[in-house]
Amino acid sequence: MNVQIAAQSEPQSAIEPQSALPAGLRRLVLTGFMGAGKTTVGLLLAARLGWEFLDLDAYIESRTGLTVPSIFAKHGEPRFRQLESQALASALGRSQVVLALGGGAPEVLTNRLLLEQTPGTTTVFLNAPFPALFDRCMMQALNPAAPVAKPTTEPAPTKPDQPRPLLADPTVAEARFLARQPIYRRLARLTVDTADLSPDETVAALLANLT
Ligand code: S3P
């Protein structure tokens, strides 16, 4: 069941993540469009839980030795999607992990089945309006060194900000956004509306509403 969450005021220190986690939960998967903050929130969430953080794009890059943009440029999107599914299957073998998906991963049926059928796996949709997401991505592209969020424990490697191949045409990107919205919603047990939330507030809202 999806739960819509508005900004909430509970202070971060009031939450005890480990005791708040549902029994049997072994992985939290963050999904949402490009710019939703999956990596930023995922790092913070993993640090709060004392879990590993894994960014699926960074994992693909470490497995292939190629950046995501170069995979798109040299081999095309279909090949990227194959590599993404293989990486997801491998990533779901881990426990006590926060996994940030690439924005397009849930479009692929194999990936949805993997996520739905791997026991102990809960998917959370980080939602925001398209203009906010697009602006965030453009800001990141213009200022890739800008700090996003400081993890509180040793972070796993994450991909540096890179141009996103699928944002080259804003009209096409918005069409993708609209087509994906119902897919994200159906897949996720929880939807967090992040437009008015800081990354810390997003983590707090997510933890407070996990069932
Ligand atoms: C994509 C999103 C990107 C990356 C690739 C394709 C998409 O990840 O996987 O460029 O199809 O939305 P982020 O959502 O982390 O930017």
Side-chain angles (χ1 to χ4, degrees):
M1 187 178 70
N2 283 6
V3 180
Q4 296 294 328
I5 302 162
Q8 53 119 42
S9 57
E10 189 170 6
Q12 185 177 338
S13 59
I15 293 179
E16 293 169 17
Q18 291 292 355
S19 61
L21 290 182
L25 182 67
R26 297 165 76 181
R27 26 195 110 68
L28 280 166
V29 178
L30 301 182
T31 189
F33 202 68
M34 292 170 271
K38 302 178 294 282
T39 302
T40 304
V41 170
L43 279 165
L44 288 169
L45 179 60
R48 297 250 354 245
L49 297 175
W51 283 12
E52 176 192 8
F53 173 74
L54 192 61
D55 178 287
L56 192 62
D57 283 345
Y59 191 42
I60 294 166
E61 292 182 343
S62 75
R63 286 161 60 94
T64 61
L66 296 169
T67 65
V68 169
S70 75
I71 297 170
F72 271 80
K74 287 185 190 153
H75 305 289
E77 184 172 350
R79 178 65 184 142
F80 172 77
R81 296 300 169 197
Q82 286 175 346
L83 295 168
E84 188 177 48
S85 293
Q86 291 163 6
L88 177 62
S90 169
L92 289 174
R94 301 181 183 213
S95 277
Q96 296 206 313
V97 63
V98 176
L99 175 63
L101 299 182
E107 275 189 334
V108 178
L109 176 62
T110 305
N111 298 343
R112 296 199 297 275
L113 292 174
L114 281 169
L115 289 162
E116 285 166 352
Q117 293 178 6
T118 303
T121 305
T122 291
T123 301
V124 178
F125 171 28
L126 302 184
N127 188 31
F130 179 75
L133 297 171
F134 193 80
D135 286 355
R136 270 187 221 162
C137 291
M138 293 303 110
M139 291 303 291
Q140 285 172 10
L142 285 173
N143 188 15
V148 277
K150 291 236 182 291
T152 51
T153 61
E154 191 64 31
T158 59
K159 63 183 187 289
D161 284 324
Q162 298 162 349
R164 289 170 162 102
L166 299 183
L167 287 181
D169 181 335
T171 309
V172 175
E174 184 163 21
R176 277 196 193 244
F177 168 84
L178 292 172
R180 287 177 183 174
Q181 286 295 100
I183 298 172
Y184 293 141
R185 283 188 189 283
R186 272 201 304 273
L187 183 63
R189 182 172 303 168
L190 185 67
T191 295
V192 182
D193 288 319
T194 67
D196 299 323
L197 301 182
S198 69
D200 276 320
E201 289 169 334
T202 301
V203 168
L206 191 161
L207 288 172
N209 288 279
L210 275 179
T211 52

